[in-house]
């Protein structure tokens, strides 16, 4: 059967099944009339176990009051990004974030459609981590002697660069302050190590150090992770402290603060202003006292201009600011850290590598190191694994860097004045560097390149610059 627009039911079904989100549609009586493969995968069920059956028979832990599908049919109001926890027919716990919309025909509710994202595994890992942090904090409180809450000190940040040494010295002087701090630096430049060092040098060295990357978990879960939950705040919710409470008395490190949703930034600002936290679903406030250190891997002016961070939150955090220089601006450290990593891996791999051959050393100085110290360390680790001689050579470089060297050689050998190929090559290199700098995040790379995300996606497909890039639109 074909619709008036020429789309058959089979084609429509194929389209809906290709969407990487669960789609569940029920009629006005609560019977499932559409259920795609992704939804079945989320729920741990087969399509035939759900299709044509009453919703509450398949998901017995739900009822008409707790089911988002029934809720929107009763209220005739959509529910956007609502958390839901339920048990399927086989007793498996499912955690989803749903957008649920009523279906209206001729002014009457004819059913509801739900688009669901399955965050069960992420939620499980976050809950386990929070529980572990809570237990560790309890043990520290009951212990008679305290151990350091962090692994690194400021001395762990190895550098011979004069500007970086000055930053370290300033950090040692200001570590005992309770004022908020902001750390700016590209990915891989050592921000978390630096922040752990500040905590270690602070008056709260033995108190909790809690770190959370704001871009690492879905926006819809971040609020419950930070604020905690109260039993009944949503279906399946438990009494659980959030990271604000766990950081009480110590330091809370929020990495990539500009990735936090704007609405949540306003709530964070309120916590910083009045020192009170209210768990999701609770009616009571808890007083907390922690020092917040935030970090950004893009320049604040860019984040402010693009609306990624609230100005009032930025100025609240920007009391004490530190900027970690990228490795390409720390030429001394390229040599110093290379020697350090070679020594470290000599001991680990039982080798006796003496250093770099001149060609590699020259390449290391010219290369931009978009991944900074982290990239340098991983490069040396790879080369140490594959090297069979006494020095690291060009042949020992990882494949991507080896290709980069060859491209540079080819460019040097021939001078081509054709404008179009030259511009295409430059575009290719800029896109690749933006993708590397943002660790494969297409949305952020598009912002760096100042082009629409869709344009960048097209160019990546056409140019085949890099594989494995991820679109971080959620």
């Amino acid at each position: 059967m074909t619709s008036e627009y020429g789309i058959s039911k089979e084609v429509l079904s194929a389209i809906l099944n290709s969407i990487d989100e669960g789609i569940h549609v029920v009629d006005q009586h609560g019977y499932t009339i559409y259920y795609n493969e992704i939804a079945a995968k989320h729920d741990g069920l087969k399509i035939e176990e759900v299709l044509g059956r009453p919703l509450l028979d398949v998901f017995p832990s739900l009822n008409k009051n707790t089911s988002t599908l029934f809720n929107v049919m009763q209220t005739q109001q959509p529910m956007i990004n609502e958390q839901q926890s339920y048990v399927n027919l086989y007793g498996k716990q499912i955690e989803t974030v749903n957008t649920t919309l009523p279906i209206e025909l001729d002014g009457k509710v004819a059913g509801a459609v739900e688009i669901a994202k399955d965050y069960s595994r992420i939620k499980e890992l976050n809950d386990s981590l929070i529980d572990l942090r809570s237990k560790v904090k309890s043990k520290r409180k009951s212990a008679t002697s305290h151990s350091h809450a962090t692994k690194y000190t400021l001395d762990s940040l190895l550098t011979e660069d004069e500007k970086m040494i000055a930053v370290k010295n300033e950090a040692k002087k200001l570590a005992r302050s309770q004022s908020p701090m902001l750390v700016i630096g590209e990915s891989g430049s050592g921000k978390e190590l630096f922040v752990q060092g500040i905590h270690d040098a602070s008056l709260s060295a033995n108190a909790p150090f809690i770190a959370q990357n704001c871009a690492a978990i879905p926006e819809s879960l971040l609020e419950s992770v930070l604020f905690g939950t109260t039993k009944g705040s949503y279906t399946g919710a438990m009494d659980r402290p959030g990271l604000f409470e766990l950081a009480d008395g110590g330091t809370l490190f929020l990495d990539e603060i500009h990735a936090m949703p704007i609405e949540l930034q306003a709530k964070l600002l309120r916590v910083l202003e009045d020192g009170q936290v209210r768990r999701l679903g609770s009616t009571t406030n808890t007083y907390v006292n922690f020092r917040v250190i935030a970090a950004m891997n893009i320049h604040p002016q860019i984040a402010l201009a693009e609306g990624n961070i609230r100005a009032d939150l930025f100025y609240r955090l920007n009391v004490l600011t530190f900027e970690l220089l990228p490795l390409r601006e720390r030429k001394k450290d390229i040599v110093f850290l290379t020697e350090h990593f070679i020594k470290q891996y000599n001991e680990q791999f039982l080798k006796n590598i003496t250093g770099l051959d001149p060609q590699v050393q020259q390449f290391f100085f010219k290369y931009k190191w978009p991944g900074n110290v982290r990239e340098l360390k991983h490069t040396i680790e790879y080369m140490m694994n594959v090297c069979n001689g006494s020095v690291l050579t060009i042949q020992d470089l990882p494949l991507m860097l080896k290709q980069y060297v060859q491209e540079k050689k080819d460019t040097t050998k021939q001078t081509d004045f054709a404008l179009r190929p030259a511009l295409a090559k430059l575009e290719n290199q800029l896109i690749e560097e933006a993708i590397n700098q943002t660790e494969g995040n297409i949305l952020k790379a598009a912002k760096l390149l100042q082009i629409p995300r869709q344009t960048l996606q097209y160019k990546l497909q056409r140019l085949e610059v890099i594989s494995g890039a991820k679109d971080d639109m959620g």
Side-chain angles (χ1 to χ4, degrees):
M1 181 178 178
T2 304
S3 74
E4 60 180 304
Y5 297 103
I7 300 177
S8 67
K9 285 185 176 180
E10 291 78 10
V11 172
L12 182 59
S13 179
I15 293 171
L16 293 174
N17 275 319
S18 68
I19 297 173
D20 191 26
E21 290 177 339
I23 300 176
H24 194 165
V25 185
V26 297
D27 65 16
Q28 68 269 35
H29 303 297
Y31 282 76
T32 297
I33 57 175
Y34 182 80
Y35 188 70
N36 73 348
E37 293 175 3
I38 299 298
K41 184 179 178 182
H42 288 178
D43 296 337
L45 299 168
K46 296 177 181 177
I47 292 178
E48 56 267 25
E49 292 177 304
V50 182
L51 200 59
R53 295 189 59 188
L55 177 72
L56 301 183
D57 286 358
V58 181
F59 302 103
S61 67
L62 296 176
N63 56 50
K64 289 187 177 182
N65 294 322
T66 58
S67 164
T68 47
L69 283 162
F70 271 103
N71 192 291
V72 299
M73 285 195 290
Q74 291 169 356
T75 63
Q76 300 183 35
Q77 296 296 320
M79 299 176 71
I80 309 298
N81 291 333
E82 285 286 330
Q83 285 185 249
Q84 182 164 263
S85 176
Y86 54 93
V87 178
N88 69 10
L89 194 60
Y90 299 106
K92 181 184 177 184
Q93 186 79 21
I94 310 295
E95 300 278 353
T96 58
V97 174
N98 307 334
T99 291
T100 316
L101 309 168
I103 300 172
E104 295 186 10
L105 293 176
D106 299 325
K108 296 181 180 179
V109 174
V113 58
E114 185 159 86
I115 300 130
K117 296 180 181 180
D118 181 15
Y119 291 138
S120 300
R121 184 59 181 157
I122 297 174
K123 183 72 162 50
E124 180 184 334
L125 291 171
N126 268 292
D127 288 349
S128 298
L129 182 59
I130 290 172
D131 287 341
L132 179 61
R133 285 167 168 166
S134 184
K135 289 175 183 176
V136 169
K137 184 178 179 183
S138 297
K139 286 181 180 178
R140 284 201 180 110
K141 281 185 175 180
S142 60
T144 54
S145 61
H146 300 284
S147 59
H148 287 287
T150 51
K151 180 180 178 182
Y152 300 107
T153 70
L154 283 168
D155 291 332
S156 302
L157 187 65
L158 303 177
T159 182
E160 286 191 340
D161 180 85
E162 290 81 359
K163 291 182 179 178
M164 285 293 289
I165 291 172
V167 170
K168 281 177 61 176
N169 291 336
E170 186 73 5
K172 288 178 181 178
K173 286 194 297 183
L174 297 175
R176 298 170 75 85
S177 167
Q178 289 300 303
S179 297
M181 291 185 176
L182 181 64
V183 180
I184 304 163
E186 295 179 6
S187 295
S189 57
K191 294 188 296 297
E192 180 157 359
L193 187 154
F194 180 74
V195 172
Q196 285 197 27
I198 289 174
H199 174 82
D200 179 80
S202 73
L203 297 172
S204 306
N206 293 317
F209 175 84
I210 304 294
Q212 178 62 55
N213 187 314
C214 297
I217 61 174
E219 293 180 2
S220 49
L221 294 181
L222 185 57
E223 183 173 6
S224 61
V225 168
L226 291 174
F227 284 85
T229 56
T230 301
K231 190 172 183 178
S233 55
Y234 60 88
T235 307
M238 300 172 63
D239 285 318
R240 179 174 280 115
L243 300 188
F244 290 146
E245 290 181 58
L246 293 178
D248 188 32
T251 301
L252 177 63
F253 173 45
L254 297 175
D255 198 5
E256 295 195 60
I257 188 73
H258 52 285
M260 180 182 288
I262 292 295
E263 300 79 9
L264 193 50
Q265 289 183 26
K267 295 180 180 180
L268 168 62
L269 179 61
R270 192 159 57 246
V271 173
L272 298 180
E273 293 291 349
D274 61 26
Q276 297 183 63
V277 172
R278 180 180 295 181
R279 295 185 188 180
L280 298 188
S282 176
T283 57
T284 59
N285 293 337
T286 301
Y287 282 91
V288 289
N289 179 27
F290 57 81
R291 194 254 300 273
V292 66
I293 303 180
M296 303 172 69
N297 57 20
I298 63 174
H299 198 280
Q301 289 181 349
I302 296 175
L304 287 166
E306 296 183 352
N308 292 326
I309 189 167
R310 291 174 58 107
D312 49 6
L313 177 61
F314 169 71
Y315 293 122
R316 183 72 182 88
L317 296 171
N318 193 34
V319 177
L320 303 174
T321 304
F322 300 93
E323 184 170 6
L324 304 187
L325 298 177
L327 186 59
R328 60 184 169 274
E329 296 179 19
R330 297 154 50 187
K331 298 297 185 183
K332 283 186 180 179
D333 281 349
I334 293 176
V335 176
F336 174 61
L337 291 173
T338 295
E339 292 174 351
H340 170 76
F341 293 139
I342 288 176
K343 181 180 178 181
Q344 176 182 323
Y345 290 122
N346 269 333
E347 295 174 359
Q348 187 174 333
F349 301 150
L350 301 178
K351 289 195 171 186
N352 189 28
I353 305 296
T354 58
L356 310 177
D357 77 5
Q359 202 175 2
V360 176
Q361 188 165 340
Q362 185 180 21
F363 166 69
F364 275 18
F365 274 117
K366 290 183 178 179
Y367 184 58
K368 297 298 183 183
W369 296 108
N372 292 291
V373 178
R374 184 187 294 120
E375 184 183 5
L376 175 62
K377 182 178 181 180
H378 292 167
T379 298
I380 298 296
E381 181 179 5
Y382 175 87
M383 296 176 77
M384 294 286 289
N385 269 293
V386 302
C387 180
N388 293 318
S390 59
V391 295
L392 303 178
T393 69
I394 290 291
Q395 294 307 312
D396 299 320
L397 284 171
L399 180 60
M400 284 186 64
L401 294 187
K402 204 181 293 184
Q403 290 173 342
Y404 183 89
V405 171
Q406 188 58 48
E407 287 174 4
K408 289 294 182 184
K409 280 185 179 179
D410 294 342
T411 304
T412 305
K413 284 180 182 177
Q414 59 181 21
T415 303
D416 188 353
F417 291 98
L419 182 60
R420 186 171 293 175
L423 290 175
K425 192 168 186 178
L426 177 60
E427 179 183 75
N428 190 322
Q429 291 171 352
L430 289 172
I431 290 175
E432 183 175 0
E433 189 161 335
I435 289 292
N436 286 335
Q437 189 167 325
T438 59
E439 298 180 341
N441 187 306
I442 292 178
L443 178 60
K444 293 180 181 178
K447 289 181 178 179
L448 281 180
L449 294 165
Q450 298 182 15
I451 61 176
R453 177 176 59 86
Q454 293 85 350
T455 302
L456 178 56
Q457 286 177 311
Y458 168 75
K459 290 180 181 294
L460 285 170
Q461 292 170 356
R462 179 171 61 83
L463 298 174
E464 296 181 354
V465 173
I466 195 167
S467 63
K470 60 179 184 300
D471 191 345
D472 202 27
M473 286 296 289

